């Protein structure tokens, strides 16, 4: 089984190729804002002419532009190659990466910058997400989080919690998307291209402005 995984939800743009659950090739680039067109070159590089049997994408939350590109591209591959697809949350990727670095996964809280002094987050217990993805203010989290909480995410956002909490740098990448996707697909958790949707949690600034007009 050959799986293609891509990451476009943040500043890392990447692709990873797996055969029978084993990583064969990966390429990740840290790019300037909205330079996600590089994903096409990365996909060509890791596939090396092979046709994937399934595809996974980081479906968000994160950059609205990056998520749209990644999800749309995965839907196209799914439709024209007639292969199953799956979306993996950036928060799940951050939690998974942080869990490998920490002895106590029960205290890890992944966060993604939602701007406006807010973060996207979710509650995780015993290596699994237990609550819905949500938006919380940074100040509220700092006031209510258990003192043993380990905040995980991009350096720029966890820096805002470092004065009171232990923090772990954990950045979503294509390899992590693929590893989580492979485990889920083994359990039958995948779907057709038309069921794949971005995980926005809230409207983009542009969409909010349109609703106010």
């Amino acid at each position: 089984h050959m799986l293609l995984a891509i990451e476009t939800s943040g500043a890392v743009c990447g692709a990873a190729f797996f055969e029978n659950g084993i990583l064969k090739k990966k390429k990740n680039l840290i790019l300037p804002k909205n330079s996600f067109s590089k994903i096409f070159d990365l996909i060509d590089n890791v596939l090396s002419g092979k046709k994937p049997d399934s595809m996974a994408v980081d479906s968000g939350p994160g950059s609205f532009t990056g998520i749209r590109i990644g999800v749309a591209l995965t839907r196209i591959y799914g439709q024209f190659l007639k292969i199953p697809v799956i979306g993996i949350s950036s928060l799940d990727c951050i939690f998974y990466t942080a869990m490998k670095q920490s002895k106590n996964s029960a205290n890890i809280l992944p966060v993604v910058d939602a701007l406006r002094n807010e973060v996207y987050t979710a509650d995780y217990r015993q290596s699994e997400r237990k609550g819905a993805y949500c938006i919380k203010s940074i100040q509220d989290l700092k006031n209510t989080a258990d003192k043993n909480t380990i905040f995980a995410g991009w350096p720029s956002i966890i820096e805002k919690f470092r004065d009171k909490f232990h923090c772990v740098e954990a950045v979503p990448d294509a390899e992590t998307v693929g590893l989580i996707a492979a485990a889920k697909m083994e359990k039958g958790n995948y779907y057709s291209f038309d069921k794949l949707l971005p995980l926005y949690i809230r409207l983009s600034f542009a969409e909010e402005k349109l609703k106010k007009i």
Side-chain angles (χ1 to χ4, degrees), residues 42-152:
L42 298 180
I43 289 173
D44 287 342
N45 187 291
V46 300
L47 284 181
S48 301
K50 295 180 179 179
K51 175 186 171 184
D53 301 305
S54 59
M55 188 166 175
V57 61
D58 184 335
S59 54
S63 161
F64 286 98
T65 301
I67 294 166
R68 282 193 179 101
I69 290 172
V71 169
L73 186 59
T74 303
R75 286 170 63 106
I76 290 170
Y77 268 76
Q79 181 177 9
F80 287 98
L81 295 180
K82 295 180 173 58
I83 57 175
V85 299
I86 187 171
I88 303 298
S89 167
S90 57
L91 289 166
D92 291 356
C93 291
I94 290 170
F95 179 81
Y96 181 90
T97 300
M99 190 171 60
K100 292 190 294 184
Q101 302 178 45
S102 176
K103 295 179 180 179
N104 189 356
S105 62
N107 294 327
I108 295 172
L109 189 66
V111 289
V112 171
D113 193 355
L115 305 178
R116 309 176 190 179
N117 291 313
E118 294 176 324
V119 292
Y120 301 111
T121 188
D123 289 326
Y124 291 77
R125 297 286 185 275
Q126 298 174 340
S127 303
E128 292 184 1
R129 181 172 57 84
K130 298 300 183 182
Y133 302 114
C134 61
I135 299 174
K136 292 186 177 180
S137 79
I138 291 173
Q139 195 56 54
D140 283 350
L141 268 184
K142 292 177 75 169
N143 291 340
T144 59
D146 182 273
K147 64 179 182 179
N148 295 317
T149 298
I150 301 170
F151 283 89

Side-chain angles (χ1 to χ4, degrees), residues 154-163 167:
W154 281 89
S156 58
I157 192 64
I158 60 175
E159 190 63 34
K160 298 179 180 180
F161 297 93
R162 203 177 292 277
D163 59 329
C167 296

Side-chain angles (χ1 to χ4, degrees), residues 7 25 37 39 44 95 117 173 209:
E7 167 61 56
K25 195 170 184 180
S37 59
I39 189 63
D44 287 342
F95 179 81
N117 291 313
D173 62 17
K209 287 180 179 178

